[in-house]
Amino acid sequence: MGIPSSLASMRASVSFIILVSLICRELYKVKSVSEAGEVAMLPPRGWNSYDSFSWVIDEDAFLYNAEILSRRLLQYGYEYAVVDYLWYRKNVNGSSANAYGYDNIDPWGRVCPDPDRWPSSKGGNGFKEVAQIVHKMGLKFGIHVMTGISVQAVDANTPILDVDTGGAYKKDGRTWRARDIGLKNMTCKWMDKGFMSVDTSLAAGRAFLRSLYRQYAQWGVDFVKLDCVFGTDLDAKQIITVSELLQELDRPVVLSLSPGEQVMPSMSNGISNHVNMYRITGDDWDKWEDVAAHFDVSRTFAAANKIGAEGLNGRSWPDLDMLPLGWLTDPSVQQGPHRKCYLTLDEQRTQMTLWSMSKSPLMFGGDLRHLDGSTFNLITNPTLLEINHYSSSNMEFPYVFSTKMRRNRLRSLPHRFMNLVHQNNAENNILSTSSCEDDKAKRWTISSFDRDLDQICWLFDTNSTGVKSYCLYKRDKKIKYKQEETETFQLSMSSTANTCLGISVNRKLSASEIRSVSLHPCGKTVNTRWGLNNDGTLVDLISGLCAVIVPKKVNVDAGNIRSWIATGRRGEIYLAFFNLYNQRNRISAKVEDFAEVLKGNFSSNCSYDGEEIWTGKQFHMLSGTVSNKKREAFHLSVL
């Protein structure tokens, strides 16, 4: 049997991927992946309204999309029809994504569908009729909800419903209300006029959340996407409380977390087993930079064995966000679908392949009323869907080679962190933010053991306290914060500057954006307060984020050449090449290196057949061992 020297294809635009299915006939065996009574045993699939309608979708448009979902995509596993955020907000002049006073709330402080957009909700019906129609289509119904309680309800001081008595919740001789449970210091960072967390240490706080999720169950909700509780807005207590309340229900409900901005795997510890999906990046939109931003984070969560780990009544899945393909709108606008996806076909293939290889949930975001043939064929590609649901051992494959990589090895790589103070090359670096759980954030120190000194510096070399790369200047070392005198301070770029460093947190970020630090007029304003923790993190006291120094662009060997590998339920091996350069490039890999990562899931004594899924080209590979003396039994390469 022949040995192909290469698999070649011309690269059309910014990204090109090649995916090969290598089938070992001797290992052909279908594996069972589901058990009765469990949910999300496979990565969920469905349709979400956000990418095409932002928050302005109405009942007619939603049901029209659901009908197409049922008729065309349900047979491919797309079973959830999800209404995204602000279904309770009036779509009128003055209203917006972070507006106050436009939400429809019931006497118990719970948001209800806007009756002008959802006419079947009138008379206290909520989403009951919509859910019934969706269920008759063979689909499952989902909604997006926000953290805790609405600011409107807290300001109105509405009573809390006791679901057991049907009246106001009473305990310890008093009637509890919204102001008793709302945490005004924990408002949603990007919707601070809309919602705040509730105090789940109080029985009244748990009673309010119980009334919410009992109502959702009564409406017929099968899927809840809970926002502003993970990533930057991490509220582990609320996540666990909601998970426990969902287990009280007599119907299974999938729990998804959003947005997951700047999430590290460590943040999912103790959380992932309480949910079924959790976002691990900011919002993904149809920009190439957003797609490319998912490669590192998906690799990290795969290496941490988070894919398909134990979850709420089933399994949990790191979520790379919706697929913004087809006919779309723009982020946070008050407008429905009006434009085509900006990604090229190659870029769309790259996204769909990475999502499938990393076993991310597949939630299509385009307007299904305008689903074109190319998009339909992509999101229903049988090999990608097989990989997404039934593959295992999914991980980044590091043993790839390219002409670009060989050239880069001849160059010396620049330092990731430069001495900004002395070398004056700040244009190569930015002062940004990260989760305080990130070990990279733990590099700040005072210039001596005396905390009254003026400088706080970033350590270039964590093994030497004498090697500092960047220093900030403290101002107003004692500032009244939360009614107490605490060791908080403002930070300036120099000892004479009249501007101080702060973070803007009033909008959602896309996956490719990082929350950077900006300059604000110095003064005792809430956006310029910092504190230095004992673990070396420099924390912004308003956002809860920590400062880090990162290069604007890091030249990392092989950073723009990626590959993923996985095994199939019939013994096949899937390999994906990703060329992230903006020009043609040859990438290659050796089959014998598969054993390095697949271990017992790879056999060198098999007859392998191969197929490139985009062209359908068939290949026949050498029988017997692939590890010969020249280490060239089979090369896969893409140009």
Side-chain angles (χ1 to χ4, degrees), residues 120-121 124-133 141 215 218-220:
S120 69
S121 68
N125 283 333
F127 276 125
K128 284 183 181 179
E129 291 189 22
V130 170
Q132 288 173 359
I133 296 172
F141 177 62
Q215 182 181 63
Q218 291 168 1
W219 287 348

Side-chain angles (χ1 to χ4, degrees), residues 436-452:
C436 295
E437 300 291 326
D438 187 350
D439 287 339
K440 293 192 297 294
K442 301 174 183 178
R443 293 191 177 193
W444 294 96
T445 182
I446 53 177
S447 53
S448 77
F449 295 107
D450 183 358
R451 281 188 172 267
D452 289 330

Side-chain angles (χ1 to χ4, degrees), residues 428-440:
N428 294 325
N429 301 268
I430 57 175
L431 183 62
S432 185
T433 60
S434 179
S435 162
C436 295
E437 300 291 326
D438 187 350
D439 287 339
K440 293 192 297 294

Side-chain angles (χ1 to χ4, degrees), residues 298-318:
S298 57
R299 172 192 60 201
T300 301
F301 276 80
N305 296 316
K306 296 296 184 180
I307 297 176
E310 179 185 357
L312 172 62
N313 297 323
R315 296 183 182 176
S316 63
W317 307 94

Side-chain angles (χ1 to χ4, degrees), residues 55 64 120 126 167 179 209 249 255 309 316 420 430 501 611 621:
W55 62 273
Y64 197 160
S120 69
R179 289 179 189 168
L209 292 177
L249 303 177
L255 178 57
S316 63
L420 305 186
I430 57 175
L501 302 173
E611 178 183 5
M621 287 144 236

Side-chain angles (χ1 to χ4, degrees), residues 453-616:
L453 291 181
D454 292 329
Q455 287 187 333
I456 295 177
C457 299
W458 172 268
L459 295 179
F460 169 71
D461 184 354
T462 55
N463 295 320
S464 173
T465 58
V467 183
K468 304 179 181 69
S469 65
Y470 188 61
C471 292
L472 298 168
Y473 291 81
K474 293 171 65 175
R475 297 169 57 104
D476 296 331
K477 302 175 187 61
K478 294 284 187 179
I479 295 179
K480 194 171 185 180
Y481 181 69
K482 295 184 180 178
Q483 309 304 315
E484 297 180 1
E485 291 288 343
T486 60
E487 178 62 21
T488 66
F489 44 81
Q490 295 174 319
L491 291 172
S492 293
M493 301 290 287
S494 71
S495 59
T496 58
N498 292 320
T499 54
C500 291
L501 302 173
I503 302 173
S504 177
V505 295
N506 60 357
R507 70 179 183 88
K508 298 189 76 171
L509 299 186
S510 72
S512 59
E513 291 179 293
I514 56 176
R515 194 172 302 280
S516 58
V517 180
S518 55
L519 294 174
H520 304 264
C522 291
K524 297 189 177 182
T525 55
V526 296
N527 61 353
T528 58
R529 307 287 178 83
W530 297 84
L532 182 64
N533 295 324
N534 291 331
D535 63 357
T537 53
L538 182 61
V539 60
D540 173 67
L541 297 175
I542 304 304
S543 70
L545 298 172
C546 282
V548 293
I549 292 176
V550 296
K552 289 182 179 179
K553 185 175 182 180
V554 179
N555 183 9
V556 180
D557 198 12
N560 287 327
I561 297 300
R562 299 299 179 91
S563 180
W564 273 68
I565 197 167
T567 58
R569 55 176 172 167
R570 299 178 178 88
E572 63 269 43
I573 297 172
Y574 297 106
L575 181 70
F577 285 153
F578 301 90
N579 176 24
L580 308 188
Y581 286 103
N582 60 359
Q583 55 189 288
R584 294 169 57 181
N585 190 25
R586 182 177 293 277
I587 312 170
S588 62
K590 299 172 183 177
V591 169
E592 66 175 23
D593 286 330
F594 296 173
E596 294 291 329
V597 294
L598 297 179
K599 308 299 182 184
N601 292 323
F602 174 76
S603 172
S604 61
N605 296 305
C606 285
S607 174
Y608 282 91
D609 298 330
E611 178 183 5
E612 200 284 302
I613 69 163
W614 303 126
T615 63

